[in-house]
Amino acid sequence: MKRAVTLTVVANMTSNYSEGLGNISSVQKIFKEQHVYAVRSRESLKNALCVQAGLYDDLETSVDGAAQKLVSAEKNAATCRALEGGYMSTKELTYIRNSSFYLTDAIACDAFVNETRFHNNLYLASNQAKANGFSLQVKGNAEKAGLMLYQYEYDKSMKVYSLTIDLEMVGKDENFQAEAGPEEKADRVLRILEAVRSLSLVVKGNLDNAEPLFIAGGLTERKTHYFENVVRVKRGALAITQDLKDKLSEDFSCALLRGDNFSNEDEIVKELAPLSIKQFFEQLEEQVKSWYGL
């Protein structure tokens, strides 16, 4: 019996930022295969998907040493969408409920090449100096006007991430013996899928279209990232391996956003016969509705 949705996505997206050094912000990175790769962490990606999906619209927080999601007998994973992604509540009694969906880090397909961008707030500082009748050219006035130089590493590249949704767990909260109805369960899953389909990120004031360029997956018996190890992109080309073909033949589908995003687009079309992104998600949405009996 198929019990989960598994997806592996290739998207052109920015990385999130980690620690800074002085006025320099650095993108988050990992080290693997003897190279450094830029990433968008699974935590950052999950937060972005939950916000765009509207799952956090009913989020309430409480503070018990640290800010945490508010949980109670009345507000639990069955009644509150914001708790679908899991929670740990330590207020009075301790309650733990794992997430019903899991993500991997979105890891760049090619090794990181440092691109540093240099910026300043000269216009704002000049406006402050003009309003107060002094010149930025006089020593000491730049600091007085709040002139600031800053720089940050920049990365926008193809990244691969996987998402798996446990359909049996959605809308259930065993801590309170509560369960949402099938319509609510399906709606939560469909919201997440729509967020993946049209993911948009805002990074340092810049809008970032992170929609799928290539996607593989579908409903599965195994609650795991089934395509995580076979979707690979190197130097702009999707690796079309026999293992990828074999997995797709197990009642899964793939989709391609056509537009020369991959250097071997013609080969992908010939070898994998991908659906359009629109067709892929429409088909998957119908399968999810059917799974919940709708």
Side-chain angles (χ1 to χ4, degrees), residues 191-242:
R191 282 171 174 265
I192 295 170
L193 295 179
E194 179 57 33
V196 171
R197 177 181 177 178
S198 59
L199 183 59
S200 182
L201 306 169
V202 177
V203 183
K204 288 193 175 295
N206 297 312
L207 193 61
D208 178 16
N209 180 357
E211 66 182 349
L213 303 180
F214 177 84
I215 186 168
L219 266 65
T220 175
E221 298 174 0
R222 298 175 57 185
K223 298 178 181 181
T224 187
H225 304 309
Y226 195 54
F227 286 87
E228 180 180 15
N229 296 322
V230 293
V231 175
R232 292 286 185 271
V233 179
K234 291 293 183 183
R235 297 181 179 87
L238 179 72
I240 303 175
T241 63
Q242 188 59 48

Side-chain angles (χ1 to χ4, degrees), residues 125-126 128-138 140-142 144-146:
S126 298
Q128 171 71 356
K130 181 180 179 181
N132 290 275
F134 61 84
S135 172
L136 287 179
Q137 296 177 319
V138 177
N141 280 354
K144 181 180 176 181

